[in-house]
Amino acid sequence: MLRKRGSLIFCGTFLFVTWNAILVLLLWGRPQPGQPGEAGQEQGAPLEIPSDDVVGDVLRMADTFEAELERQKEILLQIQNHQSLWEPSNGNKVKAVAPEQPIIPILVIACNRVTVRRCVDKLLQHRPSAEHFPIIVSQDCGHAETAEVIRSYGDKVTHLKQPDLSDIAVRPEHKKFKGYYKISRHYRWALNQVFRTLSHSSVVIVEDDLEVAPDFFEYFRALLPLLKSDPSLWCVSAWNDNGRDGYVDPGKADLLYRTDFFPGLGWMLVREVWDELEPKWPASFWDDWMRQPEQRRDRACIRPEVSRTLTFGRQGVSLGQFFDKYLRYIKLNTEFVPFTKLDLSYLKEETYKQNFEKEVYSAPVVTYEAVKQGQLTGPGPFRLQYSSKDSFKMMAKNLGVMDDLKSGVPRAGYRGVVSFISRGRRIYLAPPPGWSKYDPTWS
C-alpha cells in the first residue's frame, strides 16, 4: 500500500514538471522581437517584427500558462494533503495504523481489606494499556484504611464509593448471611455504574482478594469477540474450579474449555447480558443465583485449563469455605500465552460440542479403583463413568476434585463431563453416552 501511494506522489510530481517544461520550450521556440530565428538565418531572410496576432497569441499562452500553474499547484497541494496521512513522521520509521482495540474496564469489588493493594498492584504490573484497560475500584463498607490505600494510586485507578451503607433487614435465619446481602447490593450498584453511568459495553470483574496472571488481560481481550458473537456464551472466566497443582496440565496453558458451570472469580460479561440480569438481580447469593437454569438458560462460559486468577483471601463472608482444602492450592498460570494470535474458533458451540464429545466417548472406560490406585496403562485420556448423583460425588471427592453441584451442574463441567489430570493422565469423569440434560435435584 505504501509503495502504491509513493508511486502516486511520483507520478503527480512528474506530470507537473513535464507540463511546465513543455510550456517553457514552446515559448522559447517562438521568434523574439529583434532576433532572427534559426530558419531565417539559414535562408538569409530579413528580420521581421512580430505581428499583432503573434503578440496576442503569446499573451493568450501566458494566460493559459498562468491558469495551468494554478491548477497544477492545487493538484500538488491535494497530493501533499493525502501524503500526510501515510508519510513517515520520524526518521525512516513508517507510522503503523493499529487496529481499533476495545476498551475493557476492570472492576475491582472492594470493601474493608487493605490487602486490595496486592490485587491492584498485580493489575497495574501486568496491564498493557491504561487506555484500553481502565481500572475501576468500587468500594463498599466505608472502611477508611481501605479507602486510603485506594486513594494512594491517584489517577491510575478510578475510585467509586457505594453510597448506600445502610443496614439490610433479613430474615432471622439469614442473620449470619447478611454479608452476602450487602455484596449483592454492591454488585448491582457497581455494575450499573460501569454500564449505565460510564457507558461501557463490557467489563471484567475481580474481587479484592484476587491476584492475576501475566496474560490475564491478553486472555480477556482475545475472548471478547467470541463472547459478543456467540449467543450460546454468556461469560468468560479466568478460573478453573479444579485448577489445583497436579490436577491441570501446565504444558497446555493455552487450552480453553466451554463449561456449563458459572465459575466467577475473575469473569467478563457484556452489557446485553447485564440488561437481562439487572431487573431481576437477587437480594443475596448472587453467584449461586447465576447458576440457576432460569439465568443460565443453557448458555456456557469459557474457562481455562490453568487459572488466570488466584485467590489469597481466606477471611471473608464465606469464612474460609473451600479455601484450606482447595483454593489455596490453585495453580496460577505463569507462562504468557498470546491468545490474540491464536485461532479460537474451536470454542464455537457446534464445533466444540462435536469434538469434545468425540474425544470423551472414544476414550477407553476405566474403573474408579484403577484411577485411584494409579494402575492405568497408556498415555490417556481415559473415561471414568458415573451413573448417579451419589456415584459422581463419591468418585469426585475421593479423587480430589470438587464434588458439589449447583442445580445439577458439577463445577467446571460441560455436558456433565468434568476434565482433570490424575497422576499425569487426563481423566474425563463423565455420564453415560446419550446424556441430554442436567437434573436440578442433584444439588
Side-chain angles (χ1 to χ4, degrees):
M1 181 62 75
L2 288 173
R3 183 179 297 175
K4 187 183 237 181
R5 290 167 174 168
S7 300
L8 179 61
I9 297 170
F10 175 80
C11 290
T13 306
F14 176 79
L15 289 173
F16 173 76
V17 174
T18 303
W19 173 259
N20 293 326
I22 292 172
L23 289 176
V24 171
L25 288 173
L26 285 173
L27 288 175
W28 280 356
R30 290 281 187 177
Q32 300 299 313
Q35 286 186 327
E38 290 181 3
Q41 288 179 332
E42 290 175 358
Q43 298 174 5
L47 181 66
E48 294 182 357
I49 300 174
S51 66
D52 291 339
D53 289 337
V54 172
V55 172
D57 188 33
V58 170
L59 292 174
R60 283 191 294 273
M61 285 187 63
D63 291 339
T64 303
F65 181 79
E66 183 178 3
E68 187 60 29
L69 278 177
E70 288 298 322
R71 194 171 74 86
Q72 295 295 332
K73 180 180 178 182
E74 291 177 3
I75 292 174
L76 282 179
L77 286 173
Q78 290 177 12
I79 293 174
Q80 187 179 27
N81 290 336
H82 286 292
Q83 181 185 5
S84 65
L85 297 177
W86 63 77
E87 191 175 33
S89 59
N90 51 346
N92 294 322
K93 294 181 180 179
V94 176
K95 186 189 299 180
V97 180
E100 184 178 354
Q101 294 184 24
I103 295 176
I104 309 175
I106 310 299
L107 175 63
V108 180
I109 299 293
C111 181
N112 58 357
R113 290 188 284 206
V114 295
T115 50
V116 66
R117 183 180 296 279
R118 177 175 170 182
C119 172
V120 176
D121 282 349
K122 285 297 182 180
L123 287 170
L124 292 173
Q125 177 185 340
H126 298 310
R127 180 173 67 170
S129 165
E131 177 185 359
H132 296 111
F133 296 98
I135 296 174
I136 302 168
V137 183
S138 181
Q139 185 191 1
D140 199 2
C141 310
H143 190 247
E145 290 81 0
T146 302
E148 184 57 35
V149 169
I150 299 168
R151 277 195 300 268
S152 70
Y153 289 98
D155 60 3
K156 293 180 182 178
V157 306
T158 299
H159 185 188
L160 303 180
K161 296 181 181 180
Q162 201 281 108
D164 185 2
L165 302 182
S166 63
D167 196 23
I168 299 178
V170 300
R171 302 194 307 270
E173 62 270 26
H174 273 202
K175 186 176 180 180
K176 64 179 179 180
F177 300 128
K178 188 174 290 188
Y180 290 101
Y181 283 80
K182 292 184 177 180
I183 289 174
S184 191
R185 178 175 67 182
H186 185 193
Y187 262 83
R188 185 176 200 164
W189 181 85
L191 287 169
N192 274 332
Q193 294 303 302
V194 170
F195 289 121
R196 309 280 193 259
T197 304
L198 300 176
S199 300
H200 289 292
S201 60
S202 63
V203 68
V204 174
I205 304 151
V206 299
E207 296 190 359
D208 57 359
D209 61 347
L210 290 183
E211 179 179 327
V212 303
D215 58 356
F216 174 86
F217 295 93
E218 173 80 358
Y219 173 75
F220 284 108
R221 178 185 162 197
L223 287 165
L224 178 59
L226 183 64
L227 179 61
K228 285 188 170 182
S229 63
D230 188 344
S232 70
L233 292 173
W234 72 318
C235 88
V236 175
S237 174
W239 182 259
N240 176 2
D241 278 292
N242 292 311
R244 291 190 296 156
D245 199 9
Y247 287 77
V248 296
D249 186 346
K252 292 188 176 180
D254 61 341
L255 180 59
L256 306 179
Y257 296 82
R258 293 176 73 100
T259 176
D260 299 319
F261 190 89
F262 172 72
L265 293 173
W267 58 288
M268 177 167 61
L269 82 160
V270 295
R271 180 166 50 204
E272 291 77 11
V273 173
W274 180 244
D275 289 341
E276 169 195 329
L277 298 176
E278 194 271 341
K280 56 178 181 175
W281 190 252
S284 64
F285 306 109
W286 68 269
D287 48 352
D288 283 343
W289 175 83
M290 290 276 288
R291 294 160 183 151
Q292 295 173 358
E294 295 80 8
Q295 280 64 252
R296 189 172 68 82
R297 291 168 48 195
D298 293 325
R299 292 174 292 191
C301 294
I302 301 297
R303 60 103 175 163
E305 167 78 0
V306 186
S307 288
R308 264 59 185 188
T309 53
L310 172 71
T311 178
F312 54 84
R314 184 181 186 279
Q315 299 301 320
V317 294
S318 64
L319 301 178
Q321 183 183 21
F322 294 128
F323 186 86
D324 291 330
K325 189 173 182 179
Y326 293 103
L327 304 183
R328 66 183 301 175
Y329 302 107
I330 293 292
K331 179 178 176 58
L332 181 67
N333 181 62
T334 57
E335 172 191 349
F336 186 93
V337 176
F339 284 110
T340 56
K341 295 180 174 59
L342 302 182
D343 181 4
L344 303 178
S345 60
Y346 71 92
L347 292 167
K348 293 181 179 179
E349 183 178 28
E350 287 307 315
T351 301
Y352 186 87
K353 176 183 173 183
Q354 181 178 355
N355 292 339
F356 185 79
E357 290 188 342
K358 180 180 179 181
E359 179 170 343
V360 170
Y361 291 100
S362 63
V365 178
V366 294
T367 65
Y368 161 73
E369 290 75 14
V371 178
K372 180 67 175 175
Q373 297 171 16
Q375 296 175 346
L376 300 176
T377 57
F382 300 99
R383 176 160 50 103
L384 179 59
Q385 188 166 295
Y386 66 87
S387 57
S388 66
K389 170 186 172 181
D390 292 339
S391 65
F392 169 83
K393 290 182 75 68
M394 183 276 293
M395 288 189 283
K397 182 177 181 179
N398 290 325
L399 291 174
V401 298
M402 297 189 78
D403 66 330
D404 61 323
L405 304 116
K406 303 292 184 180
S407 298
V409 184
R411 289 183 182 268
Y414 177 70
R415 298 186 63 78
V417 180
V418 176
S419 171
F420 62 98
I421 298 293
S422 178
R423 299 175 186 261
R425 292 177 173 84
R426 175 72 58 187
I427 305 295
Y428 293 118
L429 183 55
W435 180 96
S436 59
K437 63 180 181 179
Y438 293 104
D439 184 347
T441 65
W442 286 25
S443 293

